[in-house]
Amino acid sequence: MTIYDIAREAGVSIATVSRVLNGSGKVGERTRRRVQAVLDSQQYIPSRVAQGLASRQTSSVGVLTVDIRDVHHSSIAYMIEQTMAGAGYSTIVCNLGGTPARLRGYLRALLSHRVNGVFFVGSVFLNEPYAQPIRELLADVPVVVVNGLLDMPNAYGVLVNECEGTRASVERLIAAGRRRIAMVCSSPTRSDENKLRGYEQAMAAHGLETVTAQCARSLAGGEEAAAGLVREHPGLDAIQFAEDITAVGGLRALSAAGLRVPQDVAVVGCNNSTYCDICTPRLSSVDNRLVEQGRAAAERMIAALQKRPAARVVRLSCAFAARETTDAPAHGE
């Protein structure tokens, strides 16, 4: 049922129905009750999009991810949606499916819905194939990048020190007596570059040889990478993964090779996600604070929309979530 049907059944004008819905203007109490009775009997729900197009204020935001199935992206997107909802904004989530080809179409669709701002989840959006259309199309709305910052006057960022977090994780492995430590990355992003740099810094500080591998961001990718590492580097005693899901795949490969975790090979992931608690043994991980990233991104967006002064960048530090795949450091915490 449309607003026209409501007006006809209540015997009033469309303008009167609109005033009742919006709580604005003067409407007699008897008329208001009559209109409201029809609304209630029909369980009428006004279209927020239509209302927004009329007022040019939709109170909505867009969230773009490369792959919403990824626990890293979904955890952050969930927290953004929850925080924005608390401030009165609805959220439209767009999933690019792993390619920048759909980005322009999604950005145009969001702009046609008159969104108030747009979030980008992941440092991959700093890569030029993604960054260029963002700069071209989103010059007039606030932009918040989670785990990155675009060079735009209207852009804000939440940055997590994953370089330091990974370096501290590798230092922990070294303190526990590990010396032949490998690093497995899984995507050509700024985030993985920072994690790799942290690994290399820790290894160089102790004069240790680096061993690196690249894999698909999946269970199978991590399994294949770990199998290749233990085959090509006998005596390897620890593996630092850039993702939890690839680390869980690595645990499979180590088990298949007859290696005990952590006795023979210690394993660490990154994200401190639910994957850590559903594998055996339970996975230690670099905690890059996914929930805090999402909340901080939403709070930055809300401040921008409300024209409140705030820093362009929010910086977060990582922690270490110790579980069963690592030893306690020799020197203690």
Side-chain angles (χ1 to χ4, degrees):
M1 176 170 276
T2 69
I3 190 172
Y4 300 96
D5 300 318
I6 297 293
R8 184 171 55 253
E9 186 166 335
V12 299
S13 68
I14 296 170
T16 298
V17 176
S18 179
R19 284 194 288 270
V20 172
L21 288 171
N22 296 324
S24 61
K26 291 183 178 181
V27 179
E29 183 58 25
R30 289 179 61 186
T31 302
R32 189 197 65 77
R33 286 202 302 266
R34 187 165 71 250
V35 173
Q36 190 62 54
V38 176
L39 292 169
D40 293 343
S41 69
Q42 298 298 327
Q43 297 182 329
Y44 179 78
I45 300 174
S47 168
R48 292 187 67 185
V49 172
Q51 290 178 322
L53 291 174
S55 66
R56 296 184 178 272
Q57 293 182 351
T58 58
S59 296
S60 63
V61 295
V63 174
L64 282 94
T65 74
V66 172
D67 190 343
I68 196 62
R69 298 170 301 175
D70 189 305
V71 68
H72 180 275
H73 299 159
S74 59
S75 296
I76 292 172
Y78 172 83
M79 203 62 222
I80 288 173
E81 188 279 331
Q82 290 287 291
T83 307
M84 294 306 298
Y89 291 84
S90 58
T91 300
I92 303 170
V93 178
C94 303
N95 180 55
L96 298 183
T99 171
R102 301 168 68 187
L103 180 57
R104 285 183 183 275
Y106 272 132
L107 293 181
R108 290 193 177 100
L110 290 172
L111 290 173
S112 73
H113 282 78
R114 301 185 188 278
V115 294
N116 300 93
V118 182
F119 295 89
F120 295 92
V121 179
S123 64
V124 68
F125 289 103
L126 304 182
N127 295 349
E128 196 57 25
Y130 295 93
Q132 182 177 348
I134 295 171
R135 288 194 296 265
E136 290 176 4
L137 297 175
L138 298 184
D140 297 325
V141 299
V143 168
V144 177
V145 182
V146 183
N147 213 7
L149 179 64
L150 286 167
D151 184 18
M152 299 168 60
N154 58 317
Y156 307 88
V158 176
L159 299 179
V160 185
N161 197 339
E162 293 178 318
C163 175
E164 175 60 28
T166 306
R167 189 180 70 78
S169 174
V170 176
E171 288 281 2
R172 183 186 178 95
L173 292 170
I174 294 170
R178 308 288 173 167
R179 291 295 180 271
R180 303 198 64 188
I181 305 169
M183 174 80 192
V184 177
C185 294
S186 53
S187 56
T189 63
R190 198 76 55 88
S191 174
D192 269 30
E193 291 174 3
N194 289 335
K195 295 169 189 175
L196 179 60
R197 187 166 68 253
Y199 161 77
E200 292 172 340
Q201 288 176 357
M203 297 295 280
H206 294 270
L208 301 176
E209 180 183 357
T210 59
V211 176
T212 61
Q214 191 81 22
C215 73
R217 192 167 175 160
S218 64
L219 285 168
E223 187 170 5
E224 182 179 352
L229 284 171
V230 297
R231 183 173 59 250
E232 296 168 15
H233 300 276
L236 198 71
D237 59 15
I239 307 177
Q240 172 74 57
F241 287 84
E243 299 290 335
D244 287 338
I245 191 169
T246 53
V248 174
L251 292 177
R252 288 183 180 180
L254 296 174
S255 177
L259 295 169
R260 300 167 301 163
V261 177
Q263 293 91 332
D264 300 322
V265 182
V267 177
V268 182
C270 183
N271 287 335
N272 194 31
S273 66
T274 188
Y275 293 125
C276 299
D277 289 312
I278 61 175
C279 61
T280 303
R282 294 168 65 240
L283 178 67
S284 295
S285 183
V286 176
D287 183 2
N288 53 10
R289 302 168 62 190
L290 301 180
V291 170
E292 289 88 345
Q293 287 187 54
R295 183 184 296 114
E299 290 172 347
R300 174 60 276 187
M301 177 66 78
I302 292 166
L305 294 176
Q306 295 177 351
K307 309 298 184 184
R308 290 189 281 110
R312 288 187 66 207
V313 180
V314 176
R315 300 183 186 276
L316 301 174
S317 59
C318 294
F320 188 87
R323 296 185 180 87
E324 298 164 356
T325 60
T326 52
D327 325 83
H331 55 66
E333 292 290 349

